[in-house]
Amino acid sequence: MNKTRGRVTLPSEENFLNETKELMERWGADAIRDSDGTKLDDEIKQLDAKIYTTYFVARGHNEFAKKHMEECQQLYLMSMFNTAVSETLEIDILKGYFTEQVKPDYIHDPKKYWEVIDRTSGEVVDTDNWEVNEETNCVMVKKPIPWHEYTVSFLVYAIWDPTHMYNHITNNWGDKPHDIPFDVRGPHSNEYMRNFLTQWLKDNPDTDVVRFTTFFYHFTLVFNNLGKEKFVDWFGYGASVSVAALDAFEKEKGYRLRPEDIVDQGYYNTSFRVPTPAFLDYMDFVQKFVAEEAKQLVDLVHESGKEAMMFLGDNWIGTEPYGKYFERIGLDAVVGSVGGGATLRMIADIPHVRYTEGRFLPYFFPDTFYEGNNPVLEANENWLTARRAILRNPVDRIGYGGYLSLAYKFPEFVTYIEKVTDEFREIYDTIKGVKPYSGLKVAILNSWGKLRTWQTHMVAHA
C-alpha cells in the first residue's frame, strides 16, 4: 500500500514536538488537536497542519462561575423509594447521589418547584403535608399512608461537570479544581460566554478550527455516592432544566411543566420510553434555544476567519443534528466518537455541514494505556466494526484523542494505527461519492421520528 497523507487528526501536547512530527509523518496527519487536560505549545502550532483547539462554552471558567453560583446548571432528580412505616416519613433526598456533583437548590422555593409523590397511589402529596430540612437534606412527610412508597422530585445545582469528573477520576488529577458548569440562560452567564469567546478568538490567532465541546447542556450523567455512574442517558435533557427554563417554557408554550414531566417515575424520559407530549414540547423548546444561542457563537468564529466544529458528545443536548433547528447553527463540521458502525453512520450522514470526522477508540488515557495491556485489541475491534459502515458512507476524516505521550509508549499500537490511517484513506478515495448497492428498503417506526436517525437503540454511543 502506497503511503498517503491527509484526513487524519492527531492529538498532541506540550513538550512533545519531535514525537509529534514523527507520528504526523507515520500516520499521515494533516491536523493537530488538544484534548481535555492537554495544551499545544507554540512550536507544535507552527507545524504544517490545521490546528484544532478544544473550546468549552459553559465549563472551565471557575473564576466566573464561583461568583454566580445561582446561575449554575441544574437537574431534576428523584429520591429513592421510601416506604411509610410510621406517622411520619423522613426521606434523605441525596441518599445514593454523589454530593461532589450535586447540591439541592434551596434558593428557589421547594414548595413551588419540588414534588412529593405517593408512588403506590400515584397521587401528588399536598405541599402542606411535607417540610424540608435544609441542614439534613431531608423531606419530612406528615401522616403518610402506611406501607405506601413515596419519592421526592427535587431540583439540584450541578456543581461538577460530569465529563470533567470522569476525566479527573480516570487520570487521577488530584487537587485540580472541579469544572463548575454554568447556565447560559442566566443573564451574567449569557453575557460572559459571548465576551469571553470574542477575546479568546483574538488571543488564539494560530487556531484554525474551534472545536466546541459542545455548547451548553451535558447529556444526563449522574454519579452515585461512590463516584460511579448511577445512570446515563446520552439523549437525556435533564441537565438543561432550570428555574429560568421552566419559567421561559411556560411563557412560550402556554402551560407549566411538572417535575414529573422530567423525572418520569425515575426513568427520566429515556429514549426507550414513549415520550409524552409535554416532554416533546420541552425538547423542541430546548433545541430552539440552543440553536439560536449557538449560532451567535458560530458567527463570532466565522467573523474571526476560523472554522466552527461541534463535538457530538459531552454538552451536545439541544443540537440534535437530525432536528429541524440544526441547520440554523451554521457549523462547518461535526466530530463524534465512533463506538461502532451505527455511530459512524450517525456522524457520516449528518446534513448541513461541509465535513464530518470520527474520533476512533481507544482514547489515549491510562485506563487503556497501561503496562501489561494491549491497546491494539480495542483499536482493532473499533476499526473493524466501523469499517463496514465506512464502506457504505464514510466520514471525511478520522482522528484520536487523549495523551499522545501515552500512546507513543506502545510501538505495536503506533504501527497498527499507521496501517489503519492508510487503509481509511484508500477506502475513502474509492468509496466517497459512490452510491452503494441496496437490495431492499427498511423502514424504522418509532416514537422519535427522524430526530433519532441511527440512534433508536443507543444508550451511550454504541
Side-chain angles (χ1 to χ4, degrees):
M1 187 183 296
N2 294 326
K3 189 71 181 174
T4 56
R5 186 176 187 274
R7 302 198 177 281
V8 174
T9 302
L10 182 75
S12 190
E13 56 193 278
E14 290 177 301
N15 304 315
F16 211 65
L17 178 63
N18 292 331
E19 296 88 345
T20 300
K21 287 181 178 179
E22 177 190 342
L23 294 189
M24 279 185 65
E25 179 65 28
R26 293 183 64 179
W27 294 359
D30 60 346
I32 299 174
R33 58 162 293 204
D34 59 1
S35 300
D36 192 6
T38 70
K39 291 184 178 181
L40 304 180
D41 51 34
D42 290 337
E43 288 182 304
I44 289 177
K45 289 179 180 178
Q46 301 311 312
L47 293 174
D48 182 22
K50 258 187 177 182
I51 302 299
Y52 293 12
T53 303
T54 300
Y55 189 87
F56 300 105
V57 176
R59 75 169 175 96
H61 303 272
N62 281 6
E63 187 176 343
F64 165 80
K66 288 179 179 178
K67 295 177 182 176
H68 299 281
M69 293 299 287
E70 77 284 357
E71 292 186 8
C72 234
Q73 290 188 14
Q74 294 189 274
L75 290 156
Y76 260 124
L77 298 179
M78 192 185 80
S79 71
M80 290 184 171
F81 283 67
N82 294 261
T83 304
V85 294
S86 62
E87 290 188 358
T88 59
L89 174 63
E90 186 176 75
I91 299 176
D92 180 354
I93 59 174
L94 290 182
K95 185 177 181 180
Y97 291 104
F98 193 44
T99 55
E100 289 189 55
Q101 183 191 11
V102 298
K103 70 173 185 178
D105 172 14
Y106 296 128
I107 295 176
H108 303 97
D109 185 6
K111 293 292 182 83
K112 181 177 181 180
Y113 294 101
W114 297 15
E115 204 167 53
V116 178
I117 297 180
D118 179 337
R119 291 294 178 182
T120 304
S121 68
E123 295 180 357
V124 177
V125 179
D126 190 278
T127 54
D128 291 336
N129 292 334
W130 56 270
E131 299 294 336
V132 178
N133 186 328
E134 297 183 16
E135 293 184 2
T136 61
N137 295 315
C138 288
V139 168
M140 187 71 70
V141 183
K142 307 171 188 175
K143 297 182 179 179
I145 300 174
W147 309 114
H148 279 217
E149 291 187 303
Y150 292 81
T151 65
V152 181
S153 303
F154 59 104
L155 272 175
V156 298
Y157 283 109
I159 56 176
W160 193 359
D161 176 87
T163 291
H164 187 259
M165 181 189 311
Y166 168 79
N167 292 343
H168 200 291
I169 294 170
T170 301
N171 293 291
N172 193 26
W173 284 344
D175 59 357
K176 183 176 181 179
H178 300 173
D179 277 4
I180 304 169
F182 56 83
D183 188 353
V184 299
R185 282 190 183 275
H188 300 100
S189 298
N190 196 282
E191 180 182 13
Y192 176 82
M193 75 165 181
R194 300 173 202 278
N195 293 341
F196 190 91
L197 178 59
T198 300
Q199 186 60 48
W200 184 92
L201 292 167
K202 295 176 183 178
D203 295 340
N204 289 270
D206 295 324
T207 294
D208 301 301
V209 180
V210 180
R211 184 183 181 275
F212 288 103
T213 310
T214 309
F215 287 105
F216 314 127
Y217 302 113
H218 202 287
F219 62 85
T220 306
L221 176 54
V222 177
F223 289 73
N224 65 18
N225 54 299
L226 301 176
K228 305 293 183 181
E229 288 185 7
K230 184 176 177 72
F231 63 86
V232 56
D233 179 6
W234 196 63
F235 304 100
Y237 274 61
S240 65
V241 175
S242 64
V243 168
L246 294 170
D247 292 344
F249 177 91
E250 183 178 16
K251 184 177 181 180
E252 181 174 317
K253 299 294 187 180
Y255 68 96
R256 189 163 189 84
L257 289 174
R258 286 179 54 201
E260 184 67 5
D261 291 323
I262 306 300
V263 166
D264 181 32
Q265 301 178 54
Y267 293 104
Y268 297 96
N269 298 287
T270 167
S271 56
F272 296 96
R273 299 270 283 176
V274 175
T276 64
F279 188 67
L280 290 175
D281 274 355
Y282 181 70
M283 288 176 61
D284 180 81
F285 164 76
V286 173
Q287 290 164 26
K288 183 180 177 183
F289 171 79
V290 168
E292 291 171 352
E293 295 296 322
K295 182 186 186 305
Q296 296 183 48
L297 301 186
V298 169
D299 287 346
L300 290 174
V301 171
H302 288 160
E303 288 168 10
S304 73
K306 306 181 192 301
E307 294 180 14
M309 171 184 278
M310 180 189 89
F311 176 57
L312 188 62
D314 291 10
N315 295 58
W316 80 286
I317 292 305
T319 60
E320 298 288 1
Y322 294 98
K324 61 183 179 181
Y325 302 110
F326 178 75
E327 184 179 8
R328 299 182 186 180
I329 301 175
L331 289 159
D332 297 288
V334 171
V335 56
S337 178
V338 176
T343 47
L344 187 131
R345 286 297 300 274
M346 175 185 69
I347 300 162
D349 291 8
I350 290 174
H352 313 307
V353 292
R354 291 193 294 109
Y355 62 96
T356 57
E357 181 170 325
R359 190 196 71 196
F360 278 67
L361 298 174
Y363 210 72
F364 302 166
F365 271 2
D367 55 347
T368 299
F369 290 84
Y370 60 86
E371 187 175 353
N373 192 41
N374 183 2
V376 172
L377 298 177
E378 183 179 350
N380 182 58
E381 181 182 3
N382 189 234
W383 171 242
L384 292 182
T385 54
R387 186 173 62 182
R388 296 179 63 194
I390 289 174
L391 287 166
R392 301 293 291 182
N393 183 29
V395 289
D396 299 300
R397 302 181 56 83
I398 66 172
Y400 294 86
Y403 292 91
L404 191 61
S405 58
L406 272 180
Y408 190 77
K409 295 176 181 178
F410 292 77
E412 185 182 350
F413 176 80
V414 171
T415 300
Y416 178 75
I417 300 304
E418 187 175 358
K419 295 177 182 177
V420 166
T421 53
D422 277 337
E423 189 175 345
F424 167 72
R425 284 184 286 261
E426 183 180 28
I427 294 172
Y428 184 89
D429 291 342
T430 306
I431 296 298
K432 183 65 175 178
V434 177
K435 185 177 181 179
Y437 170 75
S438 295
L440 72 163
K441 290 185 177 180
V442 177
I444 299 176
L445 181 65
N446 69 88
S447 297
W448 303 93
K450 69 177 182 179
L451 187 74
R452 290 287 178 258
T453 302
W454 290 107
Q455 303 162 62
T456 54
H457 295 83
M458 290 183 183
V459 178
H461 303 297

